[in-house]
Amino acid sequence: MLRPGVVWFGEALPADAIQQAMRAAESCEVFLVCGTSAVVYPAAALPERAVAAGARVIEVNLEPTPFTGYAHISLRGKCGELLPQIIPTPRTLEPLV
């Protein structure tokens, strides 16, 4: 039986993946927070790191989270519906200004 490439609830994230994600959060210009409770660490620390490093944070979620007050833009709705409206696709590659 093959194991899927996922981390199940209660399992630890691979340390190298966490470190890589932290570095990416600390060096990005825009950080998307999508469909999360923002309470499960260490992943919940990623947007905090991004804000601390000067990134603009956009939260897309059905409900407010503990991070909502720190987000530069907070959108309420389903990620599958809102993300296509705010992220350019190959057909609509125009600047998001």
Side-chain angles (χ1 to χ4, degrees):
M1 177 181 276
L2 294 177
R3 177 180 166 85
V6 298
V7 177
W8 301 107
F9 186 78
E11 291 182 333
L13 293 168
D16 59 327
I18 295 169
Q19 292 171 354
Q20 184 178 1
M22 292 292 183
R23 284 192 302 272
E26 292 167 350
S27 64
C28 70
E29 293 180 27
V30 176
F31 191 97
L32 294 174
V33 180
C34 303
T36 180
S37 64
V39 296
V40 179
Y41 284 79
L46 294 171
E48 297 169 0
R49 293 269 181 119
V51 167
R56 305 289 290 173
V57 177
I58 301 170
E59 178 188 58
V60 180
N61 212 30
L62 287 173
E63 301 176 355
T65 71
F67 186 77
T68 298
Y70 300 98
H72 295 91
I73 298 171
S74 188
L75 304 173
R76 294 288 156 259
K78 294 181 179 180
C79 294
E81 294 173 2
L82 294 177
L83 288 176
Q85 296 178 42
I86 65 172
I87 297 176
T89 63
R91 290 177 287 161
T92 62
L93 284 178
E94 296 179 19
L96 294 175
V97 181

Coordinates of all heavy atoms in Angstrom, one line a residue:
M1 N 0.8 -1.2 0.0 CA 0.0 0.0 0.0 C 0.9 1.2 0.0 O 1.9 1.3 0.7 CB -0.9 0.0 1.2 CG -1.8 1.2 1.3 SD -2.8 1.2 2.8 CE -4.2 0.3 2.2
L2 N 0.5 2.2 -0.8 CA 1.3 3.5 -0.9 C 0.7 4.5 0.1 O -0.5 4.6 0.2 CB 1.3 4.0 -2.3 CG 2.0 3.2 -3.4 CD1 1.8 3.8 -4.7 CD2 3.4 3.1 -3.0
R3 N 1.5 5.2 0.7 CA 1.1 6.3 1.6 C 0.9 7.6 0.8 O 1.8 8.0 0.1 CB 2.1 6.5 2.7 CG 1.7 7.6 3.7 CD 2.8 7.7 4.8 NE 2.7 9.0 5.5 CZ 1.9 9.2 6.5 NH1 1.1 8.2 6.9 NH2 1.8 10.3 7.1
P4 N -0.2 8.3 0.9 CA -0.3 9.6 0.2 C 0.6 10.6 0.8 O 1.0 10.5 1.9 CB -1.8 10.0 0.4 CG -2.2 9.2 1.7 CD -1.4 8.0 1.7
G5 N 1.0 11.6 0.0 CA 1.9 12.6 0.4 C 1.2 13.7 1.2 O 1.2 14.9 0.8
V6 N 0.6 13.3 2.3 CA -0.1 14.3 3.2 C 0.4 14.1 4.6 O 1.0 13.0 5.0 CB -1.6 14.1 3.1 CG1 -2.1 14.3 1.7 CG2 -2.0 12.7 3.6
V7 N 0.1 15.0 5.5 CA 0.3 14.9 6.9 C -1.1 14.8 7.6 O -1.9 15.7 7.4 CB 1.1 16.1 7.5 CG1 1.3 16.0 9.0 CG2 2.4 16.2 6.8
W8 N -1.3 13.7 8.2 CA -2.6 13.5 8.9 C -2.7 14.3 10.2 O -1.7 14.6 10.8 CB -2.8 12.0 9.1 CG -2.8 11.2 7.9 CD1 -1.8 10.3 7.5 CD2 -3.8 11.2 6.8 NE1 -2.1 9.8 6.3 CE2 -3.3 10.3 5.9 CE3 -5.0 11.8 6.6 CZ2 -4.1 10.0 4.7 CZ3 -5.7 11.5 5.5 CH2 -5.2 10.6 4.5
F9 N -3.9 14.5 10.6 CA -4.1 15.2 11.9 C -3.4 14.5 13.0 O -3.5 13.3 13.1 CB -5.6 15.3 12.2 CG -5.8 16.2 13.5 CD1 -5.8 17.5 13.4 CD2 -6.1 15.6 14.7 CE1 -6.0 18.3 14.5 CE2 -6.3 16.3 15.8 CZ -6.3 17.7 15.7
G10 N -2.6 15.2 13.8 CA -1.9 14.6 14.9 C -0.5 14.2 14.6 O 0.4 14.0 15.4
E11 N -0.1 14.2 13.3 CA 1.2 13.9 12.9 C 2.1 15.2 12.8 O 1.5 16.2 12.5 CB 1.3 13.2 11.5 CG 0.7 11.9 11.4 CD 0.8 11.3 10.0 OE1 0.8 12.0 9.0 OE2 0.8 10.0 9.9
A12 N 3.3 15.0 13.0 CA 4.2 16.2 12.9 C 4.6 16.5 11.5 O 4.7 15.6 10.7 CB 5.5 15.9 13.7
L13 N 4.7 17.7 11.2 CA 5.2 18.1 9.8 C 6.7 17.8 9.7 O 7.4 18.0 10.7 CB 4.9 19.6 9.6 CG 3.5 20.1 9.5 CD1 3.4 21.6 9.6 CD2 2.9 19.6 8.2
P14 N 7.1 17.5 8.5 CA 8.6 17.3 8.4 C 9.3 18.6 8.7 O 9.0 19.7 8.2 CB 8.7 16.9 6.9 CG 7.4 16.4 6.5 CD 6.4 17.2 7.3
A15 N 10.4 18.5 9.5 CA 11.1 19.7 9.9 C 11.7 20.5 8.8 O 11.6 21.7 8.8 CB 12.3 19.2 10.8
D16 N 12.2 19.8 7.7 CA 12.7 20.6 6.6 C 11.6 21.4 5.8 O 11.8 22.5 5.4 CB 13.5 19.7 5.6 CG 12.6 18.6 5.0 OD1 11.7 18.1 5.7 OD2 12.8 18.2 3.9
A17 N 10.4 20.8 5.8 CA 9.3 21.5 5.2 C 8.9 22.7 6.0 O 8.6 23.8 5.4 CB 8.1 20.6 5.0
I18 N 8.9 22.6 7.3 CA 8.6 23.8 8.1 C 9.6 24.9 7.9 O 9.3 26.1 7.8 CB 8.5 23.4 9.6 CG1 7.4 22.4 9.8 CG2 8.4 24.6 10.5 CD1 7.4 21.7 11.2
Q19 N 10.9 24.5 7.9 CA 11.9 25.5 7.8 C 11.9 26.2 6.4 O 12.0 27.4 6.3 CB 13.3 24.8 8.0 CG 13.6 24.4 9.4 CD 14.8 23.5 9.5 OE1 15.4 23.2 8.5 NE2 15.2 23.2 10.8
Q20 N 11.6 25.4 5.4 CA 11.5 26.0 4.0 C 10.3 26.9 4.0 O 10.3 28.0 3.4 CB 11.3 24.9 3.0 CG 11.3 25.4 1.6 CD 11.2 24.2 0.6 OE1 11.1 23.1 1.0 NE2 11.2 24.6 -0.7
A21 N 9.1 26.6 4.6 CA 8.0 27.4 4.6 C 8.2 28.7 5.4 O 7.8 29.8 5.0 CB 6.8 26.7 5.2
M22 N 8.9 28.6 6.5 CA 9.2 29.8 7.3 C 10.1 30.8 6.5 O 9.9 32.0 6.5 CB 9.9 29.4 8.6 CG 9.1 28.7 9.6 SD 7.8 29.7 10.3 CE 7.0 28.6 11.4
R23 N 11.1 30.2 5.8 CA 12.0 31.1 5.0 C 11.2 31.8 3.9 O 11.4 32.9 3.6 CB 13.1 30.3 4.4 CG 14.2 30.0 5.4 CD 15.5 29.4 4.7 NE 15.2 28.2 3.9 CZ 15.3 27.0 4.4 NH1 15.6 26.8 5.7 NH2 15.0 25.9 3.6
A24 N 10.3 31.0 3.3 CA 9.4 31.6 2.2 C 8.5 32.7 2.7 O 8.4 33.8 2.1 CB 8.6 30.5 1.5
A25 N 8.0 32.5 3.9 CA 7.1 33.5 4.5 C 7.9 34.7 4.9 O 7.4 35.8 4.7 CB 6.4 32.9 5.8
E26 N 9.1 34.6 5.3 CA 9.9 35.7 5.7 C 10.5 36.5 4.5 O 11.0 37.6 4.6 CB 11.1 35.2 6.6 CG 10.6 34.7 7.9 CD 11.6 34.0 8.7 OE1 12.7 33.6 8.1 OE2 11.4 33.7 9.9
S27 N 10.4 35.9 3.3 CA 11.0 36.6 2.1 C 9.9 37.0 1.0 O 10.3 37.5 0.0 CB 12.0 35.7 1.5 OG 11.5 34.5 1.0
C28 N 8.7 36.7 1.3 CA 7.6 37.0 0.3 C 7.2 38.4 0.4 O 7.3 39.1 1.4 CB 6.5 36.0 0.4 SG 5.5 36.3 1.9
E29 N 6.6 38.9 -0.7 CA 6.0 40.2 -0.8 C 4.5 40.2 -0.4 O 3.9 41.1 0.2 CB 6.1 40.9 -2.1 CG 7.6 41.2 -2.5 CD 7.7 41.8 -3.8 OE1 6.8 42.5 -4.3 OE2 8.8 41.6 -4.4
V30 N 3.8 39.1 -0.8 CA 2.4 38.9 -0.6 C 2.2 37.5 -0.1 O 2.8 36.6 -0.6 CB 1.5 39.2 -1.8 CG1 0.1 38.9 -1.6 CG2 1.7 40.6 -2.4
F31 N 1.4 37.4 1.0 CA 1.2 36.1 1.6 C -0.3 35.8 1.6 O -1.1 36.6 2.1 CB 1.7 36.0 3.0 CG 1.8 34.7 3.6 CD1 2.9 33.9 3.6 CD2 0.7 34.1 4.3 CE1 3.0 32.7 4.2 CE2 0.7 32.9 4.8 CZ 1.9 32.1 4.8
L32 N -0.8 34.7 1.0 CA -2.2 34.4 1.0 C -2.5 33.4 2.2 O -1.8 32.4 2.3 CB -2.6 33.7 -0.3 CG -2.6 34.6 -1.5 CD1 -2.8 33.8 -2.8 CD2 -3.5 35.7 -1.4
V33 N -3.5 33.7 3.0 CA -3.9 32.8 4.0 C -5.3 32.3 3.6 O -6.3 33.1 3.5 CB -4.0 33.6 5.4 CG1 -4.5 32.6 6.5 CG2 -2.7 34.2 5.7
C34 N -5.5 31.1 3.3 CA -6.7 30.6 2.6 C -7.3 29.4 3.3 O -6.6 28.4 3.5 CB -6.4 30.2 1.2 SG -5.7 31.5 0.2
G35 N -8.5 29.5 3.7 CA -9.3 28.4 4.3 C -8.6 27.7 5.5 O -8.4 26.5 5.5
T36 N -8.4 28.5 6.5 CA -7.7 28.0 7.7 C -8.4 28.5 9.0 O -9.0 29.5 9.0 CB -6.3 28.3 7.7 OG1 -5.6 27.8 8.9 CG2 -6.1 29.8 7.7
S37 N -8.2 27.7 10.0 CA -8.7 28.2 11.4 C -7.6 29.1 12.0 O -7.9 29.9 12.9 CB -8.9 27.0 12.3 OG -7.6 26.3 12.5
A38 N -6.4 29.0 11.5 CA -5.3 29.8 11.9 C -4.9 29.6 13.4 O -4.5 30.5 14.1 CB -5.5 31.3 11.7
V39 N -5.2 28.4 13.9 CA -4.9 28.1 15.3 C -4.0 26.9 15.4 O -3.5 26.6 16.5 CB -6.2 27.8 16.1 CG1 -7.0 29.1 16.2 CG2 -7.0 26.7 15.6
V40 N -3.7 26.2 14.3 CA -2.8 25.0 14.4 C -1.4 25.3 14.1 O -1.1 25.8 12.9 CB -3.3 23.9 13.4 CG1 -2.4 22.6 13.5 CG2 -4.8 23.5 13.8
Y41 N -0.5 25.2 15.0 CA 0.9 25.6 14.9 C 1.7 24.3 14.5 O 1.3 23.2 14.9 CB 1.4 26.2 16.1 CG 1.0 27.7 16.2 CD1 -0.3 28.0 16.7 CD2 1.8 28.7 15.9 CE1 -0.7 29.3 16.8 CE2 1.4 30.0 15.9 CZ 0.2 30.3 16.4 OH -0.3 31.6 16.4
P42 N 2.7 24.4 13.7 CA 3.5 25.6 13.4 C 2.9 26.4 12.2 O 3.4 27.5 11.9 CB 4.9 25.1 13.1 CG 4.7 23.7 12.6 CD 3.5 23.2 13.4
A43 N 2.0 25.8 11.4 CA 1.5 26.5 10.2 C 0.9 27.8 10.5 O 1.0 28.8 9.7 CB 0.5 25.6 9.5
A44 N 0.3 28.0 11.6 CA -0.4 29.3 12.0 C 0.6 30.4 12.2 O 0.3 31.5 12.1 CB -1.2 29.1 13.2
A45 N 1.9 30.0 12.4 CA 3.0 31.0 12.6 C 3.4 31.6 11.2 O 4.0 32.7 11.2 CB 4.2 30.4 13.3
L46 N 3.1 31.0 10.1 CA 3.6 31.4 8.8 C 3.1 32.8 8.5 O 3.9 33.7 8.1 CB 3.2 30.5 7.7 CG 3.9 29.1 7.8 CD1 3.3 28.1 6.8 CD2 5.4 29.2 7.6
P47 N 1.8 33.2 8.6 CA 1.4 34.5 8.3 C 1.9 35.5 9.3 O 2.2 36.7 8.9 CB -0.1 34.5 8.3 CG -0.5 33.2 9.0 CD 0.6 32.3 8.8
E48 N 2.1 35.1 10.5 CA 2.8 36.0 11.5 C 4.2 36.4 11.1 O 4.6 37.6 11.1 CB 2.8 35.4 12.9 CG 1.4 35.1 13.4 CD 1.4 34.2 14.6 OE1 2.5 33.8 15.1 OE2 0.3 33.9 15.2
R49 N 4.9 35.4 10.6 CA 6.3 35.6 10.1 C 6.3 36.6 8.9 O 7.1 37.4 8.7 CB 7.0 34.3 9.7 CG 7.2 33.4 10.9 CD 8.6 33.7 11.5 NE 8.9 32.8 12.5 CZ 9.9 31.9 12.6 NH1 10.7 31.8 11.5 NH2 10.0 31.1 13.6
A50 N 5.3 36.3 8.0 CA 5.2 37.2 6.8 C 5.0 38.6 7.1 O 5.6 39.5 6.6 CB 4.1 36.6 5.9
V51 N 4.0 38.9 8.0 CA 3.7 40.2 8.5 C 5.0 40.9 9.1 O 5.3 42.0 8.8 CB 2.5 40.3 9.4 CG1 2.4 41.6 10.1 CG2 1.3 40.0 8.7
A52 N 5.6 40.1 10.0 CA 6.8 40.7 10.7 C 7.9 41.0 9.7 O 8.7 41.9 10.0 CB 7.3 39.6 11.7
A53 N 8.0 40.3 8.6 CA 9.0 40.6 7.6 C 8.6 41.7 6.5 O 9.3 42.0 5.6 CB 9.4 39.3 6.8
G54 N 7.3 42.2 6.7 CA 6.9 43.3 5.8 C 6.0 42.9 4.7 O 5.7 43.7 3.8
A55 N 5.6 41.6 4.6 CA 4.7 41.2 3.5 C 3.3 41.7 3.7 O 2.8 42.0 4.9 CB 4.6 39.7 3.5
R56 N 2.6 41.9 2.6 CA 1.1 42.2 2.7 C 0.4 40.9 2.8 O 0.8 39.9 2.0 CB 0.7 42.9 1.4 CG 1.5 44.2 1.1 CD 1.2 45.3 2.0 NE -0.2 45.8 1.7 CZ -0.8 46.7 2.4 NH1 -0.2 47.3 3.5 NH2 -2.0 47.1 2.2
V57 N -0.6 40.8 3.6 CA -1.2 39.5 3.8 C -2.7 39.6 3.4 O -3.4 40.6 3.8 CB -1.1 39.0 5.3 CG1 -1.9 37.8 5.5 CG2 0.3 38.8 5.7
I58 N -3.2 38.7 2.6 CA -4.5 38.6 2.2 C -5.1 37.3 2.8 O -4.6 36.2 2.5 CB -4.7 38.6 0.6 CG1 -4.0 39.8 0.0 CG2 -6.1 38.5 0.2 CD1 -3.9 39.8 -1.5
E59 N -6.2 37.5 3.5 CA -6.9 36.3 4.1 C -8.1 36.1 3.4 O -8.9 37.0 3.2 CB -7.2 36.6 5.6 CG -7.9 35.5 6.3 CD -8.4 35.9 7.7 OE1 -9.1 36.9 7.8 OE2 -8.0 35.2 8.6
V60 N -8.4 34.8 3.0 CA -9.6 34.4 2.3 C -10.1 33.2 3.1 O -9.5 32.2 3.2 CB -9.3 33.9 0.9 CG1 -10.6 33.5 0.2 CG2 -8.7 35.0 0.0
N61 N -11.3 33.4 3.7 CA -11.8 32.4 4.7 C -13.3 32.6 4.8 O -13.8 33.7 4.6 CB -11.1 32.6 6.0 CG -11.0 31.2 6.7 OD1 -10.8 30.2 6.1 ND2 -11.0 31.3 8.0
L62 N -14.0 31.6 5.2 CA -15.4 31.7 5.4 C -15.7 32.5 6.7 O -16.7 33.2 6.7 CB -16.0 30.3 5.6 CG -16.2 29.4 4.4 CD1 -16.6 28.0 4.7 CD2 -17.1 30.1 3.4
E63 N -14.9 32.4 7.7 CA -15.1 33.1 9.0 C -13.9 33.8 9.4 O -12.8 33.4 9.0 CB -15.5 32.0 10.0 CG -16.8 31.3 9.7 CD -17.1 30.2 10.7 OE1 -16.3 30.0 11.7 OE2 -18.1 29.5 10.6
P64 N -14.0 34.8 10.3 CA -12.8 35.4 10.9 C -12.0 34.4 11.6 O -12.5 33.4 12.1 CB -13.4 36.5 11.8 CG -14.8 36.7 11.4 CD -15.3 35.4 10.8
T65 N -10.7 34.7 11.7 CA -9.8 33.8 12.5 C -9.0 34.7 13.5 O -9.1 35.9 13.4 CB -8.8 33.2 11.5 OG1 -7.9 34.2 11.0 CG2 -9.4 32.5 10.3
P66 N -8.2 34.1 14.3 CA -7.4 34.9 15.2 C -6.4 35.8 14.5 O -5.9 36.8 15.0 CB -6.6 33.8 16.0 CG -7.5 32.6 16.0 CD -8.2 32.7 14.7
F67 N -6.1 35.5 13.2 CA -5.2 36.3 12.4 C -5.9 37.4 11.7 O -5.2 38.4 11.2 CB -4.5 35.4 11.4 CG -3.4 36.1 10.7 CD1 -2.2 36.4 11.3 CD2 -3.6 36.6 9.4 CE1 -1.2 37.1 10.6 CE2 -2.7 37.3 8.7 CZ -1.4 37.6 9.3
T68 N -7.2 37.5 11.6 CA -7.9 38.4 10.8 C -7.5 39.9 11.0 O -7.4 40.7 10.1 CB -9.5 38.3 11.0 OG1 -9.8 36.9 10.5 CG2 -10.3 39.3 10.2
G69 N -7.3 40.2 12.3 CA -7.0 41.6 12.6 C -5.6 42.0 12.1 O -5.3 43.2 12.0
Y70 N -4.8 41.1 11.7 CA -3.4 41.4 11.2 C -3.4 41.4 9.7 O -2.4 41.9 9.1 CB -2.4 40.4 11.8 CG -2.3 40.4 13.3 CD1 -3.0 39.4 14.0 CD2 -1.6 41.3 13.9 CE1 -3.0 39.4 15.4 CE2 -1.5 41.3 15.3 CZ -2.2 40.3 16.0 OH -2.1 40.3 17.4
A71 N -4.4 40.8 9.1 CA -4.4 40.8 7.6 C -4.6 42.2 7.0 O -5.4 43.0 7.6 CB -5.5 39.8 7.1
H72 N -4.0 42.5 5.9 CA -4.1 43.8 5.3 C -5.5 43.8 4.5 O -6.1 44.8 4.4 CB -3.0 44.0 4.3 CG -1.7 44.2 5.0 ND1 -0.8 43.1 5.2 CD2 -1.1 45.2 5.5 CE1 0.2 43.5 5.9 NE2 0.1 44.8 6.1
I73 N -5.9 42.6 4.0 CA -7.1 42.4 3.3 C -7.7 41.1 3.8 O -7.0 40.1 3.9 CB -7.0 42.4 1.8 CG1 -6.4 43.7 1.3 CG2 -8.3 42.1 1.1 CD1 -6.0 43.6 -0.2
S74 N -9.0 41.2 4.2 CA -9.7 40.0 4.7 C -11.0 39.8 3.9 O -11.8 40.6 4.0 CB -9.9 40.1 6.2 OG -10.4 38.8 6.7
L75 N -11.0 38.7 3.2 CA -12.2 38.4 2.3 C -13.0 37.3 2.9 O -12.4 36.2 3.3 CB -11.8 38.1 0.9 CG -10.9 39.2 0.2 CD1 -10.4 38.7 -1.1 CD2 -11.7 40.5 0.1
R76 N -14.3 37.4 3.0 CA -15.2 36.3 3.5 C -15.8 35.6 2.3 O -16.5 36.2 1.4 CB -16.3 36.9 4.4 CG -15.8 37.4 5.6 CD -15.3 36.4 6.6 NE -14.4 37.0 7.5 CZ -13.1 36.9 7.5 NH1 -12.5 36.1 6.5 NH2 -12.3 37.5 8.3
G77 N -15.6 34.3 2.3 CA -16.3 33.5 1.2 C -15.5 32.2 1.0 O -14.5 31.9 1.7
K78 N -15.9 31.4 0.1 CA -15.2 30.2 -0.3 C -14.0 30.4 -1.1 O -14.0 31.2 -2.1 CB -16.2 29.3 -1.0 CG -17.3 28.8 -0.2 CD -18.2 27.9 -1.0 CE -19.4 27.4 -0.2 NZ -20.3 26.5 -1.0
C79 N -12.9 29.8 -0.7 CA -11.6 30.0 -1.4 C -11.8 29.7 -2.9 O -11.2 30.4 -3.8 CB -10.5 29.2 -0.8 SG -10.1 29.6 0.8
G80 N -12.5 28.6 -3.2 CA -12.6 28.2 -4.6 C -13.4 29.2 -5.5 O -13.3 29.2 -6.7
E81 N -14.2 30.0 -4.8 CA -14.9 31.1 -5.5 C -14.2 32.4 -5.6 O -14.2 33.1 -6.6 CB -16.3 31.3 -4.9 CG -17.2 30.1 -5.0 CD -18.5 30.2 -4.2 OE1 -18.7 31.2 -3.6 OE2 -19.3 29.2 -4.2
L82 N -13.5 32.8 -4.5 CA -12.8 34.1 -4.4 C -11.5 34.1 -5.0 O -11.1 35.1 -5.7 CB -12.8 34.5 -2.9 CG -14.1 34.8 -2.3 CD1 -13.9 35.2 -0.8 CD2 -14.8 35.9 -3.0
L83 N -10.7 33.0 -4.9 CA -9.3 33.1 -5.4 C -9.3 33.3 -6.9 O -8.4 34.1 -7.4 CB -8.5 31.8 -5.0 CG -8.2 31.7 -3.5 CD1 -7.5 30.4 -3.2 CD2 -7.3 32.9 -3.1
P84 N -10.1 32.6 -7.7 CA -10.1 32.9 -9.1 C -10.4 34.4 -9.5 O -10.0 34.8 -10.5 CB -11.1 32.0 -9.7 CG -11.3 30.9 -8.7 CD -11.0 31.6 -7.4
Q85 N -11.0 35.1 -8.6 CA -11.3 36.5 -8.9 C -10.2 37.4 -8.5 O -10.1 38.5 -9.0 CB -12.6 36.9 -8.0 CG -13.8 36.2 -8.4 CD -15.0 36.6 -7.5 OE1 -15.2 37.7 -7.2 NE2 -15.8 35.6 -7.1
I86 N -9.2 37.0 -7.7 CA -8.2 37.9 -7.2 C -6.8 37.5 -7.7 O -5.8 38.2 -7.7 CB -8.1 38.0 -5.7 CG1 -7.8 36.7 -5.0 CG2 -9.4 38.6 -5.2 CD1 -7.5 36.8 -3.5
I87 N -6.7 36.2 -8.3 CA -5.4 35.8 -8.8 C -5.4 35.7 -10.3 O -6.3 35.0 -10.8 CB -5.0 34.4 -8.2 CG1 -4.9 34.6 -6.6 CG2 -3.7 33.9 -8.8 CD1 -4.6 33.3 -5.9
P88 N -4.5 36.3 -11.0 CA -4.5 36.2 -12.5 C -4.2 34.8 -12.9 O -3.4 34.1 -12.3 CB -3.4 37.2 -12.9 CG -2.6 37.4 -11.7 CD -3.4 37.1 -10.5
T89 N -4.9 34.4 -14.0 CA -4.6 33.1 -14.6 C -3.8 33.3 -15.9 O -3.7 34.5 -16.3 CB -5.9 32.4 -14.9 OG1 -6.7 33.1 -15.9 CG2 -6.8 32.2 -13.7
P90 N -3.3 32.3 -16.5 CA -2.6 32.5 -17.8 C -3.4 33.3 -18.8 O -2.8 34.0 -19.6 CB -2.3 31.1 -18.3 CG -2.2 30.3 -17.0 CD -3.3 30.9 -16.1
R91 N -4.7 33.2 -18.7 CA -5.6 33.9 -19.7 C -5.8 35.4 -19.3 O -6.1 36.2 -20.1 CB -6.9 33.3 -19.8 CG -6.9 31.9 -20.5 CD -8.2 31.3 -20.6 NE -8.5 30.8 -19.2 CZ -9.7 30.6 -18.7 NH1 -10.7 30.7 -19.5 NH2 -9.8 30.2 -17.5
T92 N -5.5 35.7 -18.0 CA -5.8 37.1 -17.5 C -4.6 37.7 -16.9 O -4.8 38.3 -15.8 CB -7.0 37.1 -16.6 OG1 -6.7 36.3 -15.4 CG2 -8.3 36.6 -17.2
L93 N -3.5 37.5 -17.4 CA -2.2 38.0 -16.7 C -2.1 39.5 -16.8 O -1.4 40.0 -17.6 CB -1.0 37.3 -17.3 CG -0.8 35.9 -16.8 CD1 0.5 35.3 -17.5 CD2 -0.6 35.8 -15.3
E94 N -2.9 40.1 -16.0 CA -2.8 41.6 -15.9 C -2.4 41.9 -14.4 O -2.8 41.2 -13.5 CB -4.1 42.2 -16.2 CG -4.6 42.0 -17.7 CD -5.9 42.6 -18.0 OE1 -6.4 43.5 -17.2 OE2 -6.5 42.2 -19.0
P95 N -1.7 43.0 -14.2 CA -1.3 43.3 -12.9 C -2.5 43.5 -11.9 O -3.5 44.0 -12.3 CB -0.5 44.6 -13.0 CG -0.2 44.7 -14.5 CD -1.2 43.9 -15.2
L96 N -2.3 43.1 -10.7 CA -3.3 43.2 -9.7 C -3.0 44.5 -8.9 O -2.6 44.5 -7.8 CB -3.3 42.1 -8.7 CG -3.7 40.7 -9.3 CD1 -3.5 39.6 -8.2 CD2 -5.2 40.8 -9.7
V97 N -3.3 45.6 -9.5 CA -3.0 46.9 -8.8 C -4.3 47.6 -8.3 O -5.3 47.5 -8.9 CB -2.3 47.9 -9.7 CG1 -2.0 49.2 -9.0 CG2 -1.0 47.2 -10.2

